[in-house]
Amino acid sequence: MFELNEKNYAKAARQAVAEGCVLLKNEGGVLPLVKGTKTAVFGIGAFYYYKGGLGSGGLVNTKHVVSILDALRKSEDISVDECICEEYEKWIKENHFDEGNGWGSVPWSQKEMPLSEEFICEAEKRNDAAIVIIGRTAGEDQDNRADEGSYYLTQTERELIKNVTETFEKSVVLLNVGNIIDMKWVDEYKPSAVMYVWQGGQEGGNGVLDVLDGTVSPSGKLTDTIAYNIEDYPSASYFGDADKNYYVEDIYVGYKYFQTAAADKVMYPFGFGMSYTDFEISGSVKNVDENSVVVDTAVKNTGDCEGKEVVQIYIEAPQGKLGKPVRTFAGYAKTKELAANESENISISCPKSYFASYDDAGITGHKSAFVLEAGEYKVYVGNSVAKAQCIGSFSQEFQVIEQLEEALAPIEEFERMHPVSENIEEQTVENSNENIEIQSAEKNQKNSCEYSMGFEKVPLRTISLSDRIESEMPEEILFTGDEGYSLKDVANGKIDIDTFIGQLSDEDLMCLMRGEGMCSMKVTPGTAAAFGGLTPSLERFGIPALCCADGPSGIRMDCGTKAFLLPIGTLLGATFNDELIGELFEYFGAEMKYNRIDTILGPGMNIHRHPLNGRNYEYISEDTILTGKICAAELKGLHRAGVEGTIKHFCANNQEFRRADAMGVISERALREIYLKCFEIAIKETGCSSVMTTYGPFNGLWTSGNYDLCTTVLRKEWGFDGIVMTDWWAVANWEGEKQDRKNRAAMVQAQNDIFMVCHDTENENTIDNIKAQYTIGKITRGQLQRNAKNVLKFALNSLAMQIKLGKVDIEEYAPEWDTSYKPEGELKAVVAKDGSFAVSDELALEILEDDGMYFNAVDAQAGEYSVTINITSQHNEYTQIPISVFIDNDYRGTITFQGTNGKEDEKEMPVGEIGAGEHYIRVAYRPHGITMNKIVIKKND
């Protein structure tokens, strides 16, 4: 019998929150708060805890959420001034939470309550310390902005921090945020302590409390560089354009840029984070071979309390012909909890591939290869990129780490950054094709670095993509028709998979390429999609219907089923604790298993190219190695539980504004070293078998139809043997043509195996272009069979197939949702007319609640019913609007609309049998930004 230990699940999440807290300042040892501390809690963020980000990754129906204030109130060691809380609660009654217009338009913060200096002074007389909580959301389909209330503090927030820090001797500012924010106010107002506590999921408050009261010493580290000014980031001038974004900073993302050319612009460096104790770190280069560098390190706790430390390894490679960052993160390890004066020795192996450079121009004589140029390689060890000390070096001969082939190169001319020695104003580098002139950038007079940034032309594509596709066409498997074999016969070794595929008709193959959703009733209710055996024909062949659910921070089930909400990705990255993350995701996998979910849509693996990307909260870091390793730990945990993760968004999903339209223009080197490397690590270290492409394009092609991305790099070079799926309702294009959601033939050709999602896969031949393009020979049966094989191989290893084979025994699925709730007061009665219950737009507005609408259907006739819902939404077509219908607290299904761009849309769904008499109807949805034009529950003829 399968059991999920929720107590241990919560314990692991709580520990992750605590270890992910990043302490930036602790003047005078204000933290931890001593036992008996009387605490004044300020900030509207205390009452509106941001548990996670918005969008598809944040719509988890949690059983409970513990805010920071909740945890403080329950603490036996810290008391909270309730007089202050009462004033906030009065103010909140007149200043409600602002939801904006829902998806993609929720305000980044909430209005702060102004407080007089007198009020704060009176609070100081009653309390020993003050805590100010600043909150920011984060979300899909919108980016952060360099405005007050978003990246910057509002004037009211600034005044609050100023007055509190001037009044209280001990002041602590907690940042309940998804992304990093402007931090110059720390120097201006000088709070005693500052800590990023991120968005911690349902156990967030408990984990923060453990750090505040000293149960846990903070050990989190920044996964991003915090610069003094938003303009200091190298991508600042090339981020956020509506149509095209040039990745001019190239490989110099985050600390790789700052350590090379702008160290004086850094306020808090990558890898930084304080503890309540002190550590001494030493190291030496133990061994260097063809593939790796092994570094022996020793960590000693030289302070007075227990704590953990993160040992970080950085490499400084010679500049050579290619140019390199001055530091490259190459490995890390977290210690066990060390007692005062206790030491631990840790050996860290750093693959040379982690700091090899990709030659996209042939300047080293080895075009399209990862190489190590000859020279001295220095090794640095420490607890941040800025504090790491050189502990040795090794001499490296020129080495080709991996010879590849050109793929994904840009087709448009532009220039990229390149380090220039500060004592050379101009230099020329020999290229295999041409001389690349590197003009020295204007020197920053305060720059203490050895280099400034010049610019060089980016090598463009030289290969014919169409010729490559033509030369690699898969062979067709002979069609045999139905020979009586099922997929179970493949699983049992009776036949091989090609024999099985030979039975499938063209129609079967096309149907395997489409997922259904959202909220398909063929799999776990309320989940993102069903795929695999969705038609009667495919079912007869024994192909199971497979289930995927939105993540990555919990299971999203739009029918209302309760699930566990995990901390956000950035917090998990800040732990630098692979073992802990693996344990947490093993529990997550167990929960997936119980809910019969084959794959979760996560982890999110995109790089924090710029601090204003709205979806950074789902992702890990500005560093590709850390991102790859943390996500690999997540996947290993899921795999131990017998389920899979779908790593996303493949690749370069680095802004949310016009994410499906804005073209990225990126060098092949930057793609290989930064935006693809993390995915490569996760796949090669875990055998992950599911990948999701992005909505958007780069270098002329939308990712869902990019052959070099989905086939050349992913499968040929990395050996990936799983499925690729699109993001929901994605578009694709033939090169040189406009994008089109109906162009799923381009996805087939690229080896993107599954289009997500459609309403009914059997009826899609009249909607998409697969059949039409197959008929004229643009795509082939061999390509359809190749993609089908990918889907079927995934199915063979899936949870659904293991259940079908009787190899996994799971207790009967019993979804957990709140079916008891009814609004207070008498519900509006809607009387049947001609067998129907109709709710007009006027009535819908009258009975609307924050989570949908409720009414009593009176005088129903017994029979089978359907519901028709008509809405208008101002959101775009990538917005997900699930509307679930409950009759007498019995879930009857979910209709999922897309944003309608101001137009009406209408959908119908069967809701099953309704008995005679009166019935309680609940229509559950988030109404912000949605106009409900009508709801009709109609008796079928």
Side-chain angles (χ1 to χ4, degrees):
M1 187 70 70
F2 177 77
E3 294 182 359
L4 175 62
N5 190 320
E6 294 193 13
K7 184 177 180 180
N8 289 342
Y9 195 177
K11 182 180 178 181
R14 181 172 182 164
Q15 184 182 348
V17 173
E19 292 201 22
C21 288
V22 180
L23 183 64
L24 298 184
K25 183 180 181 182
N26 194 24
E27 193 172 279
V30 166
L31 292 178
L33 300 175
V34 299
K35 188 173 182 179
T37 298
K38 297 176 181 178
T39 308
V41 180
F42 298 102
I44 201 68
F47 300 86
Y48 295 137
Y49 177 66
Y50 289 114
K51 62 185 184 299
L54 303 172
S56 58
L59 298 175
V60 179
N61 299 300
T62 56
K63 299 175 185 177
H64 68 270
V65 176
V66 180
S67 72
I68 299 169
L69 182 58
D70 292 336
L72 286 168
R73 280 172 160 168
K74 292 179 180 178
S75 171
E76 296 179 357
D77 298 329
I78 301 171
S79 62
V80 173
D81 188 334
E82 291 296 339
C83 293
I84 298 173
C85 295
E86 288 172 8
E87 290 301 311
Y88 275 100
E89 287 161 356
K90 290 176 188 177
W91 190 81
I92 288 169
K93 289 179 180 178
E94 304 298 323
N95 297 268
H96 301 293
F97 188 88
D98 184 3
E99 291 272 9
N101 287 319
W103 181 288
S105 59
V106 175
W108 224 249
S109 64
Q110 296 298 309
K111 182 180 178 182
E112 185 58 71
M113 182 175 83
L115 292 176
S116 67
E117 292 182 37
E118 291 76 14
F119 182 89
I120 295 173
C121 285
E122 287 300 314
E124 190 274 338
K125 295 175 182 178
R126 302 190 301 268
N127 294 283
D128 305 312
I131 295 175
V132 179
I133 301 176
I134 299 295
R136 293 290 186 272
T137 190
E140 182 174 356
D141 219 7
Q142 64 172 329
D143 285 319
N144 198 349
R145 299 178 305 280
D147 298 331
E148 291 187 3
S150 293
Y151 186 72
Y152 295 104
L153 299 183
T154 65
Q155 188 58 37
T156 311
E157 289 171 331
R158 294 174 70 87
E159 290 174 0
L160 173 63
I161 294 174
K162 175 180 180 293
N163 291 333
V164 167
T165 55
E166 288 179 351
T167 305
F168 280 79
E169 182 182 352
K170 298 178 179 180
S171 57
V172 179
V173 180
L174 303 179
L175 301 175
N176 169 213
V177 296
N179 303 344
I180 58 173
I181 63 172
D182 174 72
M183 298 297 291
K184 292 191 295 296
W185 52 268
V186 177
D187 287 345
E188 184 175 356
Y189 303 129
K190 297 178 172 55
S192 309
V194 179
M195 187 161 63
Y196 273 91
V197 300
W198 313 109
Q199 296 165 349
Q202 71 181 53
E203 293 296 322
N206 286 330
V208 174
L209 174 64
D210 288 342
V211 177
L212 292 176
D213 69 10
T215 301
V216 175
S217 177
S219 59
K221 305 293 182 179
L222 287 175
T223 65
D224 296 313
T225 304
I226 299 179
Y228 281 101
N229 299 298
I230 190 71
E231 299 82 9
D232 294 336
Y233 290 92
S235 58
S237 299
Y238 319 104
F239 170 85
D241 191 84
D243 300 311
K244 189 173 289 186
N245 290 284
Y246 295 89
Y247 284 50
V248 173
E249 75 282 0
D250 206 53
I251 64 170
Y252 299 94
V253 177
Y255 74 87
K256 292 185 177 183
Y257 165 77
F258 289 108
Q259 291 300 123
T260 303
D264 294 302
K265 296 181 178 180
V266 175
M267 189 171 184
Y268 299 105
F270 174 87
F272 174 76
M274 299 175 68
S275 172
Y276 294 154
T277 187
D278 297 306
F279 295 94
E280 181 182 275
I281 302 175
S282 60
S284 61
V285 179
K286 178 183 180 182
N287 183 60
V288 180
D289 61 26
E290 185 178 5
N291 299 313
S292 64
V293 178
V294 179
V295 180
D296 278 352
T297 67
V299 184
K300 182 178 181 180
N301 183 347
T302 59
D304 299 324
C305 68
E306 294 180 335
K308 296 182 179 181
E309 180 60 293
V310 177
V311 183
Q312 303 165 36
I313 310 295
Y314 297 88
I315 301 292
E316 180 182 0
Q319 287 295 307
K321 296 179 179 180
L322 292 170
K324 320 281 193 321
V326 166
R327 297 288 184 275
T328 297
F329 186 64
Y332 65 95
K334 195 161 197 174
T335 68
K336 65 182 181 179
E337 189 165 71
L338 298 175
N341 293 315
E342 186 179 6
S343 299
E344 183 178 4
N345 297 321
I346 304 175
S347 185
I348 302 172
S349 179
C350 305
K352 288 184 173 180
S353 60
Y354 285 7
F355 53 89
S357 300
Y358 186 79
D359 184 357
D360 57 1
I363 197 170
T364 66
H366 293 271
K367 187 176 184 295
S368 307
F370 274 101
V371 301
L372 293 175
E373 294 195 80
E376 182 186 19
Y377 284 70
K378 296 179 181 178
V379 181
Y380 294 77
V381 174
N383 60 4
S384 76
V385 68
K387 294 297 184 182
Q389 299 296 310
C390 183
I391 51 87
S393 65
F394 61 93
S395 180
Q396 173 71 50
E397 295 181 355
F398 182 88
Q399 180 181 350
V400 176
I401 296 295
E402 188 176 19
Q403 181 64 57
L404 302 169
E405 57 184 330
E406 181 189 306
L408 304 172
I411 57 176
E412 177 181 352
E413 289 188 357
F414 72 109
E415 292 186 324
R416 65 184 174 190
M417 291 183 180
H418 188 285
V420 179
S421 178
E422 283 291 274
N423 57 16
I424 299 176
E425 291 302 317
E426 185 174 307
Q427 57 182 338
T428 301
V429 177
E430 291 295 323
N431 181 285
S432 58
N433 300 314
E434 59 180 330
N435 287 338
I436 298 178
E437 189 178 75
I438 306 173
Q439 299 292 340
S440 179
E442 182 179 351
K443 182 176 178 180
N444 176 5
Q445 296 302 315
K446 295 182 179 180
N447 186 15
S448 62
C449 297
E450 297 180 20
Y451 301 92
S452 61
M453 281 297 175
F455 296 89
E456 65 180 11
K457 291 181 180 179
V458 173
L460 303 181
R461 186 203 293 176
T462 63
I463 60 100
S464 167
L465 183 58
S466 58
D467 287 350
R468 174 173 287 170
I469 294 171
E470 183 66 28
S471 68
E472 296 175 352
M473 293 287 283
E475 294 184 7
E476 181 179 327
I477 298 169
L478 179 66
F479 175 61
T480 61
D482 188 351
E483 295 187 300
Y485 296 121
S486 72
L487 194 60
K488 185 177 180 180
D489 294 319
V490 181
N492 292 334
K494 185 176 180 180
I495 59 169
D496 62 27
I497 195 165
D498 285 0
T499 301
F500 179 81
I501 290 172
Q503 301 178 104
L504 303 182
S505 67
D506 293 344
E507 181 75 18
D508 291 331
L509 296 170
M510 293 176 191
C511 287
L512 274 174
M513 195 264 169
R514 305 181 184 113
E516 288 183 3
M518 298 178 68
C519 303
S520 170
M521 297 300 285
K522 296 177 182 177
V523 290
T524 300
T527 51
F531 62 103
L534 305 183
T535 68
S537 176
L538 294 173
E539 286 180 30
R540 284 196 299 272
F541 284 113
I543 303 170
L546 305 170
C547 178
C548 63
D550 256 324
S553 295
I555 304 171
R556 171 187 170 188
M557 291 174 278
D558 287 336
C559 58
T561 306
K562 303 296 184 181
F564 196 98
L565 182 65
L566 283 76
I568 62 169
T570 301
L571 184 154
L572 297 176
T575 69
F576 281 69
N577 191 334
D578 296 1
E579 183 179 352
L580 174 60
I581 300 306
E583 178 189 355
L584 178 60
F585 273 73
E586 189 168 2
Y587 289 121
F588 185 24
E591 186 184 17
M592 286 172 58
K593 201 170 184 179
Y594 173 72
N595 285 281
R596 287 169 166 75
I597 294 166
D598 297 281
T599 182
I600 199 76
L601 301 181
M605 297 198 63
N606 294 104
I607 299 300
H608 294 180
R609 177 182 179 237
H610 191 276
L612 297 185
N613 179 18
R615 218 162 176 181
N616 278 351
Y617 81 96
E618 280 193 28
Y619 308 141
I620 308 300
S621 172
E622 67 186 21
D623 182 74
T624 193
I625 304 302
L626 178 62
T627 296
K629 296 293 287 185
I630 292 292
C631 291
E634 295 181 19
L635 290 165
K636 290 174 183 177
L638 295 177
H639 292 172
R640 288 195 295 270
V643 293
E644 184 59 279
T646 296
I647 55 178
K648 63 180 186 181
H649 301 86
F650 192 57
C651 71
N653 186 65
N654 300 121
Q655 78 175 45
E656 288 298 295
F657 172 58
R658 284 181 56 80
R659 57 183 173 162
D661 302 289
M663 180 70 67
V665 185
I666 317 171
S667 79
E668 187 183 0
R669 182 180 181 186
L671 285 165
R672 297 280 197 174
E673 291 189 27
I674 305 295
Y675 301 104
L676 290 169
K677 177 64 72 175
C678 49
F679 287 93
E680 179 183 8
I681 290 170
I683 287 167
K684 288 184 174 180
E685 288 196 5
T686 71
C688 172
S689 60
S690 186
V691 171
M692 181 199 293
T693 51
T694 75
Y695 281 124
F698 66 83
N699 295 346
L701 285 168
W702 269 257
T703 59
S704 60
N706 191 323
Y707 182 86
D708 270 351
L709 183 67
C710 298
T711 296
T712 305
V713 172
L714 180 63
R715 299 179 192 275
K716 287 176 60 183
E717 294 180 1
W718 298 351
F720 178 75
D721 195 30
I723 55 171
V724 180
M725 65 178 70
T726 72
D727 209 334
W728 270 227
W729 310 295
V731 298
N733 70 315
W734 301 118
E735 188 163 32
E737 298 182 13
K738 296 182 71 172
Q739 72 275 26
D740 188 343
R741 187 166 291 111
K742 297 178 181 178
N743 188 5
R744 297 169 202 166
M747 302 172 190
V748 171
Q749 183 188 78
Q751 205 170 175
N752 196 327
D753 306 301
I754 307 168
F755 170 78
M756 294 291 193
V757 287
C758 62
H759 178 65
D760 183 352
T761 183
E762 285 191 286
N763 295 328
E764 283 293 297
N765 281 334
T766 60
I767 299 174
D768 66 29
N769 69 342
I770 294 178
K771 188 170 185 178
Q773 296 292 296
Y774 174 64
T775 301
I776 65 172
K778 182 75 172 181
I779 57 173
T780 68
R781 180 173 168 82
Q783 289 172 323
L784 289 167
Q785 290 174 325
R786 172 198 62 190
N787 296 12
K789 182 185 291 189
N790 295 332
V791 176
L792 293 171
K793 288 166 76 174
F794 181 90
L796 281 166
N797 294 309
S798 69
L799 173 65
M801 193 68 188
Q802 300 309 301
I803 294 172
K804 196 177 186 72
L805 294 171
K807 294 183 177 181
V808 173
D809 181 24
I810 301 177
E811 66 184 40
E812 185 178 353
Y813 172 61
E816 190 171 345
W817 54 56
D818 183 2
T819 59
S820 62
Y821 174 72
K822 285 187 181 182
E824 294 181 2
E826 188 174 346
L827 296 180
K828 190 76 174 181
V830 178
V831 182
K833 184 177 180 181
D834 299 327
S836 298
F837 302 94
V839 177
S840 65
D841 55 348
E842 294 90 352
L843 179 57
L845 191 60
E846 181 182 342
I847 64 177
L848 186 63
E849 301 281 342
D850 286 341
D851 56 354
M853 59 183 63
Y854 306 79
F855 61 91
N856 285 329
V858 181
D859 294 339
Q861 301 174 18
E864 295 287 327
Y865 282 74
S866 296
V867 62
T868 300
I869 299 177
N870 183 294
I871 71 163
T872 302
S873 163
Q874 299 302 319
H875 302 301
N876 66 37
E877 64 271 26
Y878 297 102
T879 302
Q880 301 162 15
I881 307 170
I883 302 177
S884 298
V885 178
F886 294 81
I887 299 175
D888 297 327
N889 284 328
D890 180 34
Y891 173 68
R892 298 299 180 94
T894 300
I895 295 176
T896 300
F897 290 87
Q898 296 167 248
T900 67
N901 291 301
K903 300 176 182 178
E904 287 191 18
D905 191 13
E906 185 171 294
K907 293 188 177 183
E908 183 178 341
M909 174 183 73
V911 293
E913 185 176 351
I914 298 178
E918 182 175 323
H919 299 275
Y920 162 52
I921 309 296
R922 177 187 175 195
V923 182
Y925 67 104
R926 291 172 171 84
H928 304 283
I930 300 166
T931 300
M932 183 66 71
N933 300 317
K934 70 174 182 180
I935 300 173
V936 178
I937 301 176
K938 182 180 180 181
K939 186 173 181 292
N940 299 335
D941 296 332

Coordinates of all heavy atoms in Angstrom, one line a residue, residues 474 501 505-507 509-513 748 753 770 774 779-790:
P474 N 14.3 10.1 -41.3 CA 14.2 8.7 -40.7 C 13.5 7.8 -41.7 O 12.7 8.2 -42.5 CB 13.3 9.0 -39.5 CG 12.4 10.2 -39.8 CD 13.3 11.1 -40.7
I501 N 4.9 -0.3 -33.7 CA 4.6 0.9 -34.5 C 4.1 0.5 -35.9 O 3.2 1.3 -36.4 CB 5.8 1.8 -34.5 CG1 6.0 2.4 -33.1 CG2 5.6 2.9 -35.5 CD1 7.3 3.1 -33.0
S505 N -1.9 3.2 -37.9 CA -2.3 3.9 -39.1 C -1.8 5.3 -39.1 O -1.3 5.8 -38.1 CB -3.8 3.9 -39.2 OG -4.4 4.7 -38.2
D506 N -1.9 6.0 -40.2 CA -1.5 7.4 -40.3 C -2.3 8.2 -39.2 O -1.7 9.1 -38.6 CB -1.8 8.0 -41.7 CG -0.9 7.4 -42.7 OD1 0.1 6.7 -42.4 OD2 -1.2 7.5 -43.9
E507 N -3.6 7.9 -39.1 CA -4.4 8.6 -38.2 C -4.0 8.4 -36.7 O -3.9 9.3 -35.9 CB -5.9 8.1 -38.3 CG -6.9 8.8 -37.4 CD -7.2 10.3 -37.8 OE1 -6.9 10.6 -39.0 OE2 -7.7 11.0 -37.0
L509 N -0.9 7.7 -35.8 CA 0.3 8.4 -35.6 C 0.1 9.9 -35.4 O 0.8 10.5 -34.5 CB 1.3 8.2 -36.8 CG 1.7 6.8 -37.0 CD1 2.4 6.6 -38.4 CD2 2.7 6.3 -35.9
M510 N -0.8 10.5 -36.1 CA -1.1 11.9 -36.0 C -1.8 12.2 -34.6 O -1.5 13.2 -34.0 CB -2.0 12.3 -37.1 CG -1.4 12.3 -38.5 SD -2.6 12.7 -39.8 CE -1.6 12.3 -41.2
C511 N -2.6 11.3 -34.1 CA -3.3 11.5 -32.8 C -2.3 11.4 -31.7 O -2.4 12.1 -30.7 CB -4.4 10.5 -32.7 SG -5.8 10.8 -33.7
L512 N -1.2 10.6 -31.8 CA -0.2 10.5 -30.8 C 0.6 11.8 -30.6 O 1.2 12.0 -29.6 CB 0.8 9.3 -31.1 CG 0.4 7.9 -30.6 CD1 1.4 6.9 -31.1 CD2 0.3 7.9 -29.1
M513 N 0.5 12.6 -31.7 CA 1.3 13.9 -31.7 C 0.5 15.0 -31.0 O 1.1 16.1 -30.8 CB 1.6 14.2 -33.1 CG 2.6 15.3 -33.3 SD 1.9 16.9 -33.5 CE 3.3 18.0 -33.4
V748 N 6.4 18.5 -36.1 CA 6.6 17.1 -36.4 C 8.0 17.0 -37.1 O 8.8 16.1 -36.7 CB 5.6 16.5 -37.4 CG1 6.0 15.2 -37.9 CG2 4.2 16.5 -36.7
D753 N 7.6 16.3 -30.3 CA 6.7 15.1 -30.4 C 5.2 15.3 -30.1 O 4.4 14.6 -30.7 CB 7.2 14.0 -29.5 CG 8.6 13.7 -29.7 OD1 9.0 13.3 -30.8 OD2 9.4 13.8 -28.8
I770 N -1.2 19.1 -40.1 CA -0.4 17.8 -40.2 C -0.8 17.0 -41.3 O 0.0 16.5 -42.2 CB -0.5 17.1 -38.8 CG1 0.1 17.8 -37.7 CG2 0.2 15.7 -39.0 CD1 0.0 17.2 -36.3
Y774 N 1.3 16.3 -44.7 CA 1.7 14.9 -44.9 C 1.2 14.4 -46.3 O 2.0 13.8 -47.1 CB 1.0 14.0 -43.9 CG 1.2 12.5 -44.1 CD1 2.5 11.9 -44.1 CD2 0.1 11.7 -44.3 CE1 2.6 10.6 -44.3 CE2 0.2 10.3 -44.5 CZ 1.5 9.8 -44.5 OH 1.6 8.4 -44.7
I779 N 5.9 16.6 -44.8 CA 6.4 15.7 -43.7 C 6.1 14.2 -44.1 O 5.2 14.0 -45.0 CB 5.8 16.0 -42.4 CG1 4.2 15.9 -42.4 CG2 6.2 17.3 -41.8 CD1 3.5 16.1 -41.1
T780 N 6.8 13.3 -43.5 CA 6.7 11.9 -44.0 C 6.1 11.0 -42.9 O 6.1 11.3 -41.7 CB 8.1 11.4 -44.4 OG1 8.9 11.3 -43.2 CG2 8.7 12.3 -45.4
R781 N 5.7 9.8 -43.3 CA 5.3 8.8 -42.4 C 6.4 8.4 -41.4 O 6.2 8.1 -40.3 CB 4.7 7.6 -43.1 CG 4.2 6.5 -42.2 CD 3.5 5.4 -42.9 NE 3.3 4.2 -42.1 CZ 2.3 4.0 -41.2 NH1 1.4 5.0 -41.1 NH2 2.2 2.9 -40.5
G782 N 7.6 8.4 -42.0 CA 8.8 8.0 -41.2 C 9.0 9.0 -40.1 O 9.4 8.6 -38.9
Q783 N 8.8 10.3 -40.3 CA 8.9 11.3 -39.3 C 7.8 11.1 -38.2 O 8.0 11.2 -37.0 CB 8.8 12.7 -39.9 CG 10.1 13.1 -40.7 CD 9.9 14.4 -41.4 OE1 8.8 14.7 -41.9 NE2 11.0 15.2 -41.5
L784 N 6.6 10.8 -38.6 CA 5.5 10.6 -37.7 C 5.8 9.4 -36.8 O 5.5 9.3 -35.6 CB 4.2 10.4 -38.4 CG 3.6 11.7 -39.1 CD1 2.4 11.3 -40.0 CD2 3.0 12.6 -38.0
Q785 N 6.3 8.3 -37.5 CA 6.7 7.1 -36.7 C 7.8 7.4 -35.7 O 7.8 6.9 -34.6 CB 7.1 6.0 -37.7 CG 5.9 5.5 -38.5 CD 6.4 4.5 -39.5 OE1 7.5 4.6 -40.1 NE2 5.6 3.5 -39.8
R786 N 8.8 8.1 -36.2 CA 9.9 8.5 -35.3 C 9.4 9.2 -34.0 O 9.8 8.9 -32.9 CB 10.9 9.4 -36.0 CG 12.0 10.0 -35.2 CD 12.6 11.2 -35.9 NE 11.7 12.3 -36.1 CZ 11.9 13.4 -36.8 NH1 13.0 13.5 -37.5 NH2 11.0 14.3 -37.0
N787 N 8.5 10.2 -34.2 CA 8.0 10.9 -33.0 C 7.1 10.0 -32.2 O 7.1 10.1 -31.0 CB 7.2 12.1 -33.5 CG 8.1 13.1 -34.2 OD1 9.2 12.8 -34.6 ND2 7.5 14.3 -34.5
A788 N 6.3 9.1 -32.9 CA 5.5 8.2 -32.1 C 6.3 7.3 -31.3 O 5.9 6.9 -30.1 CB 4.6 7.4 -33.1
K789 N 7.4 6.9 -31.8 CA 8.3 6.0 -31.0 C 8.8 6.7 -29.7 O 8.8 6.1 -28.7 CB 9.5 5.6 -31.9 CG 10.5 4.6 -31.1 CD 11.7 4.3 -31.9 CE 11.4 3.4 -33.1 NZ 12.7 3.0 -33.8
N790 N 9.1 8.0 -29.8 CA 9.5 8.7 -28.6 C 8.4 8.7 -27.6 O 8.6 8.5 -26.4 CB 9.8 10.2 -29.0 CG 11.0 10.3 -29.9 OD1 11.9 9.4 -29.9 ND2 11.1 11.3 -30.8

